[in-house]
């Protein structure tokens, strides 16, 4: 059974994950409006992954005998300076998510909820990958600078990203 404090924190994180999906959906649309179809694809895959993360929290809360309490989701920004701005905002957001996951993990230990602690370990590891991917793209964008050919090559690379749905049993 989840303590009220942990249940509330898990629900808040579920809402954070849905906001993340909203943010990346907005970025996908904006990238597409700039003619950067590869970047639009990259952010769409990011959106899909965030929805999977939200559903992991949804299913976990329900599996612990509790119900999900969905909160209002704030509107994400709709316009950005350029692709570098989007990626820098992505990294900033992922650092916020990492901090939230770490606080949640600490709370699970404080509340002596080992099942929640084990559940959260997947997210701790996932955040390492999220931040690394963002930093890699930011580095490449800074290297390319205002070079249109370089941006088109990076956009083509971003187009190759594919969403891989998790197994039906909920693992992954």
């Amino acid at each position: 059974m989840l303590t009220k404090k942990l249940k509330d924190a898990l629900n808040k994180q579920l809402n954070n994950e849905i906001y993340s999906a909203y943010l990346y959906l907005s970025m996908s649309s904006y990238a597409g409006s700039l003619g950067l179809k590869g970047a639009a694809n990259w952010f769409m895959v990011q959106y899909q992954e965030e929805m999977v993360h939200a559903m992991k929290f949804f299913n976990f809360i329900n599996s612990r005998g509790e119900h999900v309490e969905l909160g209002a989701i704030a509107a994400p920004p709709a316009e950005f300076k350029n692709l570098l701005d989007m990626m820098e905002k992505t990294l900033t957001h992922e650092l916020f998510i990492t901090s939230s996951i770490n606080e949640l993990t600490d709370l699970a230990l404080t509340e002596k909820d080992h099942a929640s602690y084990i559940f959260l370990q997947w997210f701790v590891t996932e955040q390492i990958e999220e931040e690394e991917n963002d930093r890699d793209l930011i580095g490449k964008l800074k290297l390319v600078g205002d070079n249109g050919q370089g941006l088109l090559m990076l956009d083509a690379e971003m187009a190759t990203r594919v969403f891989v749905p998790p197994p039906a049993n909920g693992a992954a």
Side-chain angles (χ1 to χ4, degrees):
M1 181 175 195
L2 294 170
T3 64
K4 177 168 179 15
K5 191 172 184 181
L6 190 54
K7 178 186 135 181
D8 290 346
L10 288 166
N11 272 294
K12 182 178 178 189
Q13 188 59 38
L14 185 154
N15 284 315
N16 286 343
E17 299 292 341
I18 293 173
Y19 175 80
S20 298
Y22 267 37
L23 176 63
Y24 299 134
L25 193 60
S26 178
M27 289 178 171
S28 177
S29 176
Y30 195 77
S33 76
L34 297 176
L36 299 171
K37 292 182 180 179
N41 172 71
W42 192 93
F43 285 113
M44 184 58 70
V45 171
Q46 196 69 14
Y47 157 80
Q48 292 169 308
E49 286 186 0
E50 298 303 334
M51 288 306 296
V52 167
H53 298 173
M55 289 309 298
K56 283 180 178 282
F57 279 97
F58 180 92
N59 292 331
F60 181 75
I61 293 165
N62 286 334
S63 74
R64 296 295 304 274
E66 298 292 344
H67 70 279
V68 168
E69 297 173 23
L70 297 173
I73 307 298
E79 293 191 18
F80 306 90
K81 294 176 192 168
N82 52 36
L83 185 54
L84 177 59
D85 181 46
M86 285 187 270
M87 288 310 306
E88 288 174 337
K89 284 180 170 48
T90 296
L91 178 58
T92 298
H93 180 71
E94 290 300 334
L95 291 169
F96 164 75
I97 294 296
T98 297
S99 177
S100 297
I101 295 291
N102 289 340
E103 290 172 15
L104 199 47
T105 303
D106 290 344
L107 179 60
L109 285 176
T110 300
E111 299 289 312
K112 295 184 174 33
D113 188 327
H114 300 283
S116 293
Y117 178 78
I118 291 167
F119 166 74
L120 292 165
Q121 293 309 299
W122 184 89
F123 291 94
V124 170
T125 303
E126 175 70 6
Q127 285 308 116
I128 295 168
E129 179 185 326
E130 296 282 0
E131 291 176 25
E132 180 183 27
N133 289 340
D134 297 344
R135 284 188 183 99
D136 287 350
L137 283 169
I138 289 168
K140 289 176 182 178
L141 284 164
K142 286 182 176 180
L143 185 64
V144 165
D146 292 331
N147 181 315
Q149 286 180 316
L151 182 58
L152 289 176
M153 289 177 65
L154 188 52
D155 188 58
E157 178 184 322
M158 293 174 86
T160 64
R161 187 174 187 203
V162 176
F163 174 67
V164 179
N169 68 1

